[in-house]
Amino acid sequence: MASAQGSGRTVGRRAVLRGATVASAALALPAAAGGIAPAQAFSGRPSAAWGVQAGDVTTNSGLVWVRSDRPARMIVETSASESFRNARRWTGPLLGPDTDGTGTVSLCGLPPGRQIHYRVTLADPDDYRRRGEPVTGTFRTAPVRRRDGARFVWSGDLAGQGWGINSGLGGYRIFAEMQQRDPDFFLFSGDTVYADGPLAETVTLPDGRTWRNVTTPEKSKVAETLDEFRGNFRYNLLDENFRRFNAQVPSIVQWDDHEVTNNWYPGEVLADPRYTETSVDVLVSRARRAFSEYYPVSTLRPGRKQGRMYRVVRHGPLLDVFVIDMRTYRNANSANRQTEDPQGILGEEQLRWLKHELARSRAVWKVIASDMPLGLVVGDGANYEAVANADPGAPLGRELQIAELLRFIKHRRITGTVWLTADVHYTSAQHYQPSRAAFGDFEPFWEFVTGPLNAGSFPANALDGTFGPERVFVKAPDRANVSPAEGFQFFGEAEIDGDSGELTVSLRELGGGVLFSRTLQPGRVGQ
């Protein structure tokens, strides 16, 4: 078992801590401090009290994000040292109301396999001499040498089921624990906010204790307007653990349903009485815009004609991360047993893209970052929400598309595929084996599930036998919506050894260390 200090890749963190200290001032802001007022209405300088974050980092590039409390010019400096000697300067966008004060700068030409220190300064657009206090962060670019290895963490589901920031219990403590692992990046596997999950100030727990949430006006109701969606992203940034984590660990982010509303699909019309805007397509447009403003995602940058969530983030010779989107292109939730289903859960275009990118990848390991599990039965009333349909026979409905993908991986001899996901609010490991399956034209593979980060936890879902899953490990509560005060908060860690190429996947519990670990061998189509 690895120690809590990581694998020995130690770097200075003083700059990160300085940035986190500045960022912690966000808790002093009014809870509803979401608006951007004209610069002349303030006597102070622009402030980046919401912290900084980096995203989609590769061997030579990355994105840096910030939010200003008023109109400002974003300026980024990068350096190989915490002293910022020989710093390189990047002039970023003018931040204002159109993006809720947020902005992202694309960094390119960075040295591979190096610790990059960066600081963001906000300048008054009318007088560049009036600048706010710099906020600092750091990240590692991906290596070009195989022997450098790789390590990352993943999880999902933040502030769901009524469980938000509880300052009395230390807030989002799981981010502090993941930060101690010193990962190369964090794969945020969806449900990054719960736009459909209002928060009450207090909740009585089963044992009589009181859970106390930090609350804001935007979290008092379901999100419908653009500013309400923005307010859900601002809410999570009130947590100091989250801001400190963002300043040290770059992210690869995807979405699922709760960024919009529970179990949504394109074209849906809501019957939920909490909503006055019942068109899901309208809500999706607003939610996607807020998501793109608050997370640095390379394919959602402003100016792109067709911003999309799915993409490949390449992390050197050992790892490619295939971020897929099982939400935007799916068909309607149904009994999911149709005999033909070209649209499926990915859509035809995304499936073609995924097959093409998997076939051209030369990485040792190909992580398929899926926002929903494959063989776990996830219901939506009388219908089905994910891939599985509770029928253990031959593929039907959305299973047809996954069968096509698995068959393609086998026949093209694509090695090193592993599926990582969250969504179901417990942690487990499933091994898929054709000898156990109704559909057998695929090679064995693993699917690892983890989460939540800070949300209700739930009992384990049933398995669907179509692709022959065997649940090798599971930890889940025996009742629904167990609060984070009772535990059952999980994340996963994946580490690739630079010498052997072995991939070790570990499932971890907040405050409890490693629950389960499996080492996979490189160069195999299935295992």
Side-chain angles (χ1 to χ4, degrees):
M1 182 186 303
S3 73
Q5 298 303 315
S7 62
R9 292 176 295 177
T10 58
V11 296
R13 297 297 183 202
R14 288 174 293 173
V16 176
L17 294 176
R18 285 198 298 271
T21 300
V22 172
S24 67
L27 287 176
L29 294 172
I36 305 297
Q40 59 267 28
F42 292 84
S43 59
R45 299 168 183 264
S47 171
W50 302 88
V52 290
Q53 57 179 311
D56 286 8
V57 171
T58 68
T59 55
N60 59 11
S61 67
L63 303 173
V64 168
W65 173 98
V66 76
R67 181 177 190 261
S68 176
D69 67 343
R70 68 202 71 189
R73 177 67 66 181
M74 179 181 179
I75 301 168
V76 180
E77 294 171 283
T78 63
S79 177
S81 69
E82 296 176 77
S83 67
F84 284 91
R85 292 185 59 187
N86 302 316
R88 185 177 177 186
R89 181 174 173 176
W90 314 75
T91 300
L94 182 64
L95 313 184
D98 287 349
T99 60
D100 202 32
T102 66
T104 300
V105 168
S106 179
L107 310 179
C108 58
L110 302 175
R114 296 288 298 275
Q115 197 73 34
I116 303 298
H117 299 273
Y118 67 91
R119 63 185 175 196
V120 179
T121 305
L122 300 176
D124 187 321
D126 297 321
D127 183 358
Y128 275 23
R129 295 170 298 180
R130 293 180 55 79
R131 299 186 177 190
E133 185 173 359
V135 182
T136 59
T138 188
F139 60 84
R140 279 189 293 272
T141 50
V144 293
R145 301 179 305 179
R146 171 175 167 148
R147 66 176 179 269
D148 288 340
R151 182 173 66 252
F152 66 94
V153 293
W154 92 94
S155 190
D157 314 302
L158 184 59
Q161 291 73 48
W163 314 112
I165 301 169
N166 186 333
S167 301
L169 293 181
Y172 295 158
R173 295 180 295 128
I174 199 165
F175 285 98
E177 194 161 303
M178 291 193 297
Q179 182 179 343
Q180 290 179 348
R181 301 300 305 159
D182 191 25
D184 295 323
F185 63 88
F186 170 52
L187 173 59
F188 205 161
S189 302
D191 292 338
T192 60
V193 299
Y194 275 72
D196 59 339
L199 297 174
E201 289 186 7
T202 61
V203 183
T204 301
L205 299 174
D207 61 4
R209 290 181 296 164
T210 299
W211 176 280
R212 301 184 185 280
N213 284 313
V214 172
T215 58
T216 67
E218 294 86 359
K219 290 298 296 179
S220 67
K221 64 179 292 293
V222 296
E224 298 178 87
T225 68
L226 174 59
D227 194 58
E228 287 168 350
F229 282 109
R230 287 166 166 170
N232 276 264
F233 291 96
R234 289 196 298 266
Y235 177 81
N236 287 335
L237 291 170
L238 293 173
D239 182 76
E240 186 172 359
N241 299 305
F242 189 39
R243 294 195 308 275
R244 285 180 173 170
F245 181 82
N246 286 343
Q248 177 177 328
V249 182
S251 61
I252 299 175
V253 187
Q254 63 191 141
W255 75 352
D256 191 34
D257 57 336
H258 291 289
E259 287 84 358
V260 183
T261 191
N262 188 45
N263 295 354
W264 71 269
Y265 52 83
E268 182 181 6
V269 177
L270 298 176
D272 189 331
R274 300 178 300 169
Y275 288 86
T276 57
E277 176 55 73
T278 59
S279 168
V280 161
D281 290 350
V282 171
L283 297 174
V284 167
S285 176
R286 294 167 182 169
R288 181 185 293 272
R289 177 171 172 180
F291 188 102
S292 69
E293 290 170 347
Y294 274 84
Y295 280 116
V297 175
S298 56
T299 51
L300 292 178
R301 295 295 310 286
R304 288 181 178 267
K305 292 182 179 180
Q306 293 181 326
R308 69 188 195 196
M309 203 71 65
Y310 66 86
R311 62 200 188 278
V312 185
V313 181
R314 305 192 189 280
H315 193 80
L318 288 173
L319 176 64
D320 281 348
V321 181
F322 298 82
V323 183
I324 63 175
D325 181 356
M326 287 184 158
R327 188 59 54 181
T328 304
Y329 311 99
R330 64 167 55 201
N331 49 23
N333 291 351
S334 68
N336 196 25
R337 296 187 181 182
Q338 55 271 31
T339 56
E340 293 184 3
D341 192 0
Q343 183 175 355
I345 200 166
L346 297 173
E348 294 181 83
E349 181 178 339
Q350 184 179 191
L351 177 60
R352 286 195 299 271
W353 166 86
L354 181 56
K355 289 170 22 176
H356 173 76
E357 293 296 336
L358 283 169
R360 68 187 291 262
S361 172
R362 296 297 175 262
V364 175
W365 293 100
K366 303 160 187 69
V367 164
I368 302 176
S370 174
D371 46 302
M372 300 204 76
L374 297 185
L376 278 59
V377 179
V378 183
D380 179 21
N383 296 319
Y384 292 96
E385 157 74 351
V387 175
N389 58 17
D391 180 346
L396 294 171
R398 294 168 177 165
E399 295 172 337
L400 292 164
Q401 199 173 62
I402 300 304
E404 180 182 345
L405 176 62
L406 296 178
R407 182 189 298 114
F408 177 84
I409 290 171
K410 173 184 175 179
H411 289 277
R412 290 296 295 266
R413 305 293 297 168
I414 298 171
T415 62
T417 58
V418 178
W419 293 72
L420 301 183
T421 188
D423 183 66
V424 289
H425 297 239
Y426 63 86
T427 192
S428 67
Q430 285 79 234
H431 184 249
Y432 291 76
Q433 172 62 253
S435 64
R436 295 189 296 262
F439 170 81
D441 195 11
F442 70 96
E443 294 290 351
F445 66 94
W446 283 89
E447 174 188 54
F448 298 95
V449 179
T450 197
L453 289 158
N454 189 98
S457 51
F458 287 80
N461 297 60
L463 295 182
D464 182 310
T466 296
F467 300 117
E470 176 187 12
R471 185 175 282 139
V472 179
F473 173 81
V474 63
K475 184 168 184 180
D478 58 6
R479 69 181 196 278
N481 199 16
V482 171
S483 82
E486 299 178 67
F488 296 101
Q489 307 296 294
F490 307 104
F491 69 95
E493 181 178 52
E495 182 162 13
I496 307 174
D497 181 81
D499 294 323
S500 67
E502 293 177 338
L503 168 64
T504 300
V505 180
S506 301
L507 302 178
R508 290 177 167 267
E509 184 172 22
L510 173 63
V514 174
L515 300 171
F516 172 83
S517 185
R518 178 69 56 150
T519 298
L520 308 180
Q521 300 302 314
R524 297 184 181 180
V525 179
Q527 55 185 305

